[in-house]
Amino acid sequence: MPPPLIGSSKSIEKIREFIDHIADTGLNVLITGESGVGKEVVAQSLYYKSQRKNKPFIKVNCAALPEGLLESELFGYERGAFTGAVQSKRGKFELAHQGVIFLDEIGDMPRPLQAKLLRVLQSGEFAPLGSEKEVTADAWVIASTNQNLGENVKKGLFREDLYYRLNIIKIYIPPLRNRPEDIPTLIDYFIEKYASQFDRNKISKPDADAMEKLMAYSWPGNVRELQSILQSSMVIGNWEEVVDDLSIKDKPDVNSAPDHKGLDKSLIVDTLFDLKNENSPGHASFSLKKIRKETMNIIDKEVISYVLNQTGWNRTKASKILQISYKTLLYKISDLDIKQQREL
Amino acid sequence: MLIKIEKTNYDSGLNKMDKPSKLLIVDDDEEIQSTLKDFLIKKGYEVFSASDGLEGLKLLETEEPGFDLVITDLVMPNISGVGLIAIIKKKFTGLPVIAITGWGEHPEALASEVQADQVLEKPFGLSELEKSLKKLLSSKFDI
């Protein structure tokens, strides 16, 4: 049975609906989202909903292994291919034949390997290390990353052609802080899940006060962190202590978390002094007018980017939210060089 | 400017059975979506639109009778245009697709690989679009 995709928020409901529509297409899927949001759960849901569910589901963590080892893991090797290769070994792609290969942390895959992966995606063929014979594998590729692959492409860290080929279908899982309504449902689910491992008498649901704090917390580790907090509460036997341990005092506002860090006062001042060397406080004078303009641009850029990302770059909706005309919005996008993050 | 506005003669988008051809436009850019929609409605076509691949797919799955042609952007949220074309070519055999590509994005090769019938690069003229459309529709109804 697949681990269920828990949550009653709109975004999770939409992901569930989406999975139902695309699980049988066999098209490459890229799942994005912060660490701990449940990317593997989504990958497994896709697998279990597909016609490949009785075939292998093979997971490879692309960040966990050095390049050479990752290559031999993915594509296998022939006997004698390298020192210590005393017998040949089949790679994960071959093992995933007719099933799924889940490439976790694809953003960390070294560039030379990206070329080999691209070839597999184009033709389904590859040669194991030390072999001249091509092997064919029909594996459904589901990849995941917590990185912005679009940005990595711009920085030259990720191949553009591979990015487009992986990005045929994309699923973005929002962080838990953006969907606090999922927290009570997740807590109910985990309590039920762990009930058999702990003293049932010790298990209690958080009271209204604790739940309020839990829903206000920023959950940087997302669902994984919630899961671990819940296990602690079961060991300790009460919620109060656990909830107090959360760094509530550091809690960012639910709507503002890291997206708004650009608005941090000291950061803005530092940035401006960096940008305008002539405005450095070391100089005899600096223009307040220029600083004001730069500051307004930074704020405009942050806020417009945030709203555009929230609306999926729907410019009409964004202009309504921002209460500016559509034309002004287009002008700002161009003037402030606001770029679309294609992950979403 | 993404689409070149030109003077056109508004004639009819009727097919050989004298019914308006039914088109689906899929684009996450509302400006382009509405420009194309307005133009094609004035040309006499029956036009439906969707803002992303999933919405487009749902319309394809539920609309009766089905569509005569699909015009889709390539870079979109959830199901990309390339994904949508691949699904159409597998599940809706014979349905022609025109792919339109955006700013500095280069998935055109993929669109051809999944057998888009025509790839138009922005900016394109509306008359150019209509020409492709008529050509594809006439070969569809000739079959």
Side-chain angles (χ1 to χ4, degrees), chain A residues 304-319 321 344:
Chain A
I304 293 170
S305 299
Y306 178 79
V307 174
L308 284 168
N309 287 332
Q310 289 295 308
T311 57
W313 270 71
N314 182 325
R315 295 161 184 82
T316 310
K317 270 189 203 163
S319 64
I321 292 169
L344 303 184

Side-chain angles (χ1 to χ4, degrees), chain A residues 55-72:
Chain A
K55 302 290 180 184
F57 178 95
I58 308 282
K59 177 186 168 179
V60 181
N61 186 328
C62 302
L65 299 169
E67 184 181 330
L69 212 51
L70 181 59
E71 184 173 8
S72 66

Side-chain angles (χ1 to χ4, degrees), chain A residues 14 17-18 21-22 24-25 27 160 164-165 167-170 314-316 326 330 340 342 344, chain B residues 28-31 52 54 58 61 75-80 82-83 86-87 90 103 105-106 110 113:
Chain A
K14 200 167 176 191
E17 184 203 8
F18 192 50
H21 273 89
I22 54 130
D24 264 332
T25 62
L27 296 168
E160 189 180 27
Y164 282 122
R165 207 165 270 275
N167 215 4
I168 301 292
I169 289 181
K170 52 215 132 173
N314 182 325
R315 295 161 184 82
T316 310
Y326 186 80
L330 292 187
Q340 181 162 8
R342 286 294 184 182
L344 303 184
Chain B
D28 60 330
D29 187 316
E30 282 193 9
E31 193 190 7
D52 60 46
L54 178 60
K58 285 202 261 184
E61 286 170 345
V75 181
M76 292 187 294
N78 58 60
I79 305 178
S80 67
V82 173
I87 295 169
K90 203 170 157 188
W103 307 275
E105 310 281 358
H106 306 290
L110 280 175
E113 204 177 292

Side-chain angles (χ1 to χ4, degrees), chain A residues 208-265:
Chain A
D209 184 44
M211 186 62 88
E212 197 181 318
K213 285 178 181 167
L214 288 164
M215 287 175 76
Y217 179 57
S218 63
W219 298 108
N222 292 296
V223 181
R224 196 178 295 136
E225 186 184 6
L226 175 66
Q227 193 172 354
S228 130
I229 297 283
L230 210 124
Q231 282 173 307
S232 308
S233 82
M234 285 179 162
V235 172
I236 295 166
N238 75 72
W239 279 96
E240 260 174 49
E241 214 171 307
V242 175
V243 169
D244 288 344
D245 272 355
L246 295 175
S247 315
I248 301 289
K249 62 177 185 301
D250 293 329
K251 147 190 108 62
D253 183 86
V254 170
N255 296 318
S256 63
D259 293 319
H260 278 187
K261 67 186 173 199
L263 298 182
D264 177 77
K265 198 173 96 185

